[in-house]
Amino acid sequence: MLKLQVLFFFFFNFCLALNIAISRPAPYVTRISCGAQNDVRSGPTSTLWRKDFGYTGGITKKATRPSFITPPLSTLRYFPRSQGPENCYNINKVPRGRYSVRIYFGLVAEHSLDDEPLFDVSVDRTLVYSLPSGWSNHDDGAFVETLVFLENGTASLCFHSTGHGDPSILAIEILQVDDKAYFFSGPVFGQQTIFRTSQRLSCGHQNSKFDIDYDGDPWGGDRFWSSIMTFGRNSDNPISTKSIIKSASVAPNFYPQALYQTALVSTDNDPDLTYTIDVDPNKNYSVWLHFAEIDPSITGVGQRVIDIWINGDTVFHDVDIVRIAGGVNSALVLNKTVAVSGRFLTITLHPTTGTHAIINAIEIFEVITAESKTLPEEVKALQSLKLALGLPLRLGWNGDPCFPQQHPWSGVDCQFDRTSNNWVINGLSLDNQGLRGFVPDDVSQLRHLQSINLSGNSIHGPIPSALGTIISLEKLDLSYNSFNGSIPESLGQLTSVLTLNLNGNLLSGKIPAALGGRLLHRASFNFTDNAGLCGIPGLPSCGPHLTVGAKIGIGLGACVAVVVITTCITCWWKRRQNILRAKRIAARDAPYAKKRTHLNHIQMTRHHHHDHHHEHTRTAAENGPPLLT
């Protein structure tokens, strides 16, 4: 079995090497200096760290560097619990592929070392790490690294508060690796699997280094290798060589050549080499063992043959490094995935031919099953609801609503939908949260909802008719808010509803017939404390029903009547003022008018007497002298 695996491994590497021999672009790389306002470079390699972007919240703080492993950066992003239990970095425009994702932790400069934040970390919706107490006292505890497949163009890295300190993130690295990286036997990290680095050791080397310090190929992902000079108990000695190592930096894993130029070799005191690491129980671990026969005392096949045990079980039998690798100073990689029930993983190399065992490097990964995802359109609808309702920061609502399952969004209930093979939202409980916005039409995208409770807030605006399209609704509680307008007719389509509470709002108009006709059935409705509602027992009766056109006509007629009445009153008032003004003038001029009238009368009298005398004289002349009797 081992021979078949090894032959397959070398054949696979050979084919990939031919393919990679053709030039290809450099791997995608993004490094973020959290809290930095400008791009910075760090020594000694002049590595570029981009200014802070992609975060959902948090505060920029000065950083204390907890380990020599962490990059020499002076700022971090600090996520206080008051800004929500979940905060994320969402890095967009990440090409589809496999990535090494590394997150460095920091300490806020003004805090004491006793104030060590403990929190959970998720990558692409999956919980990958919980910071243990005392992590800041261990150099290799200052970061978490995962190998993950990113397919949606976004890397989502989230930090979940657990009640002890607040997350503090110093830096983030997203490094593309070969499309077939860590492919051999057992689970392969990809769409369904994530590898979290538990341990990575360079045996016999004096200094811990990154791939870049080893002059490693960038397609390896710039891994960090902790140095280890002995497994203890005087059982081994370090050896080294300057010889060129064949078959080292090749696809798909591109291990640096220098990794194989040092090793630990067992001694006569204990021919076995044994290494033990603490692990979490009841999980699977992928173990990668690196060999190169650099011991000058071994020159050919058959001189050193070993068995490899993991927790007492033989996983590889009769391993002859020179024969399998094709000669001395040639790299060999063996991989095995094992289930561990206890708290320790022990690797033992036992020589069956020769007197000593040898090992150059060890990698141990926790194998994590990638979580599913919430239906994307429902996540988008919740984000729209978050903005429209003005959700307080303390609720968070960042990342995925349902994952990781240990940290779902507050007030959101999830269930698995076998039809779509996705997780969906089946409940919203946001009662008494001080919400002051409105309910958007996008709420209709949450088509699997069975319960909505928004009671006891200050939500305003009309009840969206789109709610009537969520036919799975069994409970809708919008009571004690400030909803106004009429109840949408579409709510009559909620044939599954058992509870409908709209009481304590500013609603008006007639209860839709489809709702009113079901009051005697099993559903429980409450429309009280809405002064303008009518049409069912317990509410005022409704007057004649007017169409919208009639209501508009009445309104226009009333406006015209008001204008006409106002005009008439204005004209009457002006006419009356004119009459009153004329009377006042007449009253003031009365004495003068009387005197003039008297003079005119005298003149007219005199004129009349004169005319009469003249007429009499003329008549006498015409008749002659009077007759005498």
Side-chain angles (χ1 to χ4, degrees):
M1 179 65 181
L2 175 61
K3 293 180 180 179
L4 290 176
Q5 287 181 337
V6 172
L7 288 174
F8 174 77
F9 176 74
F10 278 103
F11 176 74
F12 182 77
N13 279 351
F14 175 74
C15 294
L16 283 179
L18 289 178
N19 182 48
I20 292 171
I22 304 173
S23 62
R24 60 175 173 172
Y28 172 92
V29 175
T30 288
R31 292 182 172 92
I32 301 173
S33 175
C34 301
Q37 297 182 356
N38 299 291
D39 294 348
V40 296
R41 290 188 177 273
S42 62
T45 57
S46 191
T47 302
L48 174 64
W49 298 87
R50 298 179 62 186
K51 62 183 179 181
D52 207 5
F53 71 96
Y55 50 84
T56 61
I59 303 170
T60 296
K61 291 284 187 177
K62 291 184 177 180
T64 295
R65 190 180 177 196
S67 166
F68 77 91
I69 299 173
T70 57
L73 303 171
S74 60
T75 62
L76 55 73
R77 182 155 292 275
Y78 168 74
F79 297 100
R81 182 64 176 78
S82 60
Q83 293 195 3
E86 284 84 40
N87 279 280
C88 304
Y89 273 84
N90 297 312
I91 315 303
N92 297 319
K93 299 181 180 179
V94 179
R96 184 177 187 272
R98 300 170 189 264
Y99 289 86
S100 172
V101 177
R102 190 157 47 227
I103 302 168
Y104 294 96
F105 314 124
L107 297 172
V108 178
E110 58 261 35
H111 287 198
S112 67
L113 290 179
D114 293 334
D115 193 11
E116 182 184 57
L118 306 180
F119 53 94
D120 291 345
V121 179
S122 65
V123 175
D124 202 29
R125 305 177 304 275
T126 301
L127 183 68
V128 298
Y129 192 57
S130 297
L131 271 74
S133 179
W135 65 264
S136 59
N137 297 323
H138 299 85
D139 285 327
D140 57 357
F143 70 92
V144 61
E145 180 189 82
T146 60
L147 296 165
V148 61
F149 186 86
L150 301 176
E151 58 181 334
N152 296 320
T154 300
S156 180
L157 320 176
C158 297
F159 317 106
H160 312 273
S161 298
T162 58
H164 190 290
D166 299 310
S168 302
I169 310 302
L170 182 75
I172 292 171
E173 287 184 301
I174 302 175
L175 312 173
Q176 188 176 13
V177 298
D178 189 271
D179 285 342
K180 297 296 182 180
Y182 290 93
F183 179 88
F184 192 20
S185 65
V188 181
F189 87 86
Q191 289 93 328
Q192 303 301 321
T193 307
I194 295 175
F195 280 8
R196 180 187 68 82
T197 304
S198 295
Q199 190 70 266
R200 187 177 277 125
L201 300 175
S202 176
C203 301
H205 207 288
Q206 291 186 345
N207 299 310
S208 300
K209 291 185 177 183
F210 286 91
D211 273 12
I212 192 172
D213 301 316
Y214 280 129
D215 296 322
D217 190 291
W219 281 99
D222 198 21
R223 292 156 290 204
F224 176 77
W225 300 88
S226 296
S227 64
I228 184 168
M229 295 297 292
T230 179
F231 290 157
R233 303 180 302 277
N234 295 320
S235 62
D236 49 34
N237 289 317
I239 62 173
S240 63
T241 184
K242 293 183 179 180
S243 300
I244 295 175
I245 305 298
K246 298 182 289 293
S247 303
S249 188
V250 295
N253 297 309
F254 299 96
Y255 292 108
Q257 179 183 203
L259 185 68
Y260 299 93
Q261 292 177 326
T262 63
L264 289 176
V265 179
S266 61
T267 64
D268 294 336
N269 295 332
D270 187 353
D272 292 347
L273 280 176
T274 302
Y275 178 73
T276 299
I277 178 177
D278 294 348
V279 295
D280 293 331
N282 303 316
K283 293 186 177 180
N284 293 332
Y285 289 86
S286 183
V287 179
W288 297 72
L289 304 173
H290 300 265
F291 301 94
E293 192 55 83
I294 63 172
D295 186 345
S297 65
I298 304 297
T299 58
V301 173
Q303 297 180 20
R304 190 196 317 268
V305 180
I306 59 176
D307 285 349
I308 301 175
W309 306 331
I310 297 181
N311 283 355
D313 296 327
T314 301
V315 293
F316 294 107
H317 182 62
D318 288 341
V319 177
D320 187 334
I321 300 170
V322 175
R323 178 176 58 82
I324 299 173
V328 298
N329 299 323
S330 294
L332 170 66
V333 183
L334 300 179
N335 165 244
K336 188 68 176 180
T337 298
V338 296
V340 179
S341 58
R343 301 197 64 88
F344 301 101
L345 188 153
T346 300
I347 302 169
T348 302
L349 292 86
H350 172 70
T352 58
T353 300
T355 58
H356 304 122
I358 187 173
I359 184 73
N360 298 77
I362 300 173
E363 292 179 286
I364 302 173
F365 300 97
E366 179 188 341
V367 181
I368 303 172
T369 300
E371 295 278 18
S372 301
K373 61 182 179 181
T374 308
L375 206 61
E377 53 264 38
E378 297 205 358
V379 178
K380 185 178 179 181
L382 284 180
Q383 292 289 4
S384 177
L385 191 67
K386 172 184 176 180
L387 295 175
L389 291 178
L391 251 65
L393 291 175
R394 56 182 168 78
L395 292 182
W397 278 35
N398 295 306
D400 190 284
C402 305
F403 299 100
Q405 294 189 35
Q406 299 87 339
H407 298 282
W409 286 3
S410 177
V412 175
D413 297 324
C414 305
Q415 72 175 10
F416 185 75
D417 179 53
R418 297 186 182 278
T419 302
S420 63
N421 202 33
N422 281 288
W423 284 77
V424 297
I425 311 302
N426 72 329
L428 284 177
S429 300
L430 295 173
D431 52 306
N432 300 300
Q433 295 296 331
L435 309 180
R436 297 181 177 275
F438 64 95
V439 178
D441 288 338
D442 287 351
V443 71
S444 63
Q445 296 299 314
L446 301 171
R447 61 181 184 274
H448 298 91
L449 280 174
Q450 297 177 16
S451 173
I452 300 177
N453 186 354
L454 300 177
S455 63
N457 291 291
S458 299
I459 304 172
H460 58 80
I463 298 174
S465 60
L467 282 174
T469 65
I470 309 176
I471 58 176
S472 58
L473 265 182
E474 297 178 0
K475 177 182 178 180
L476 177 59
D477 191 346
L478 305 180
S479 60
Y480 299 107
N481 279 283
S482 298
F483 287 103
N484 54 35
S486 60
I487 298 175
E489 294 282 347
S490 63
L491 294 192
Q493 302 171 17
L494 301 178
T495 56
S496 299
V497 73
L498 301 176
T499 302
L500 177 61
N501 294 333
L502 302 181
N503 52 300
N505 281 285
L506 305 174
L507 300 171
S508 60
K510 188 177 181 179
I511 303 295
L515 291 178
R518 293 165 53 203
L519 287 175
L520 299 179
H521 297 282
R522 60 194 179 105
S524 171
F525 294 174
N526 191 341
F527 301 112
T528 60
D529 296 328
N530 287 282
L533 284 181
C534 62
I536 61 172
L539 296 179
S541 60
C542 299
H545 181 69
L546 297 176
T547 64
V548 174
K551 292 179 181 179
I552 294 175
I554 292 173
L556 292 175
C559 292
V560 172
V562 169
V563 172
V564 171
I565 292 172
T566 302
T567 302
C568 291
I569 292 175
T570 302
C571 292
W572 173 83
W573 183 81
K574 289 185 176 181
R575 181 176 177 80
R576 178 173 174 80
Q577 292 300 313
N578 290 337
I579 294 172
L580 291 176
R581 188 181 302 108
K583 287 183 177 181
R584 284 196 298 270
I585 293 173
R588 184 179 64 243
D589 294 343
Y592 302 99
K594 184 176 181 180
K595 183 176 180 180
R596 285 196 301 270
T597 302
H598 177 69
L599 291 176
N600 289 339
H601 178 71
I602 294 175
Q603 291 176 355
M604 290 178 64
T605 304
R606 288 179 178 175
H607 181 72
H608 174 73
H609 286 171
H610 175 74
D611 288 345
H612 179 74
H613 175 74
H614 179 73
E615 180 65 25
H616 179 73
T617 305
R618 187 179 58 83
T619 303
E622 290 178 351
N623 295 332
L627 294 178
L628 296 175
T629 58

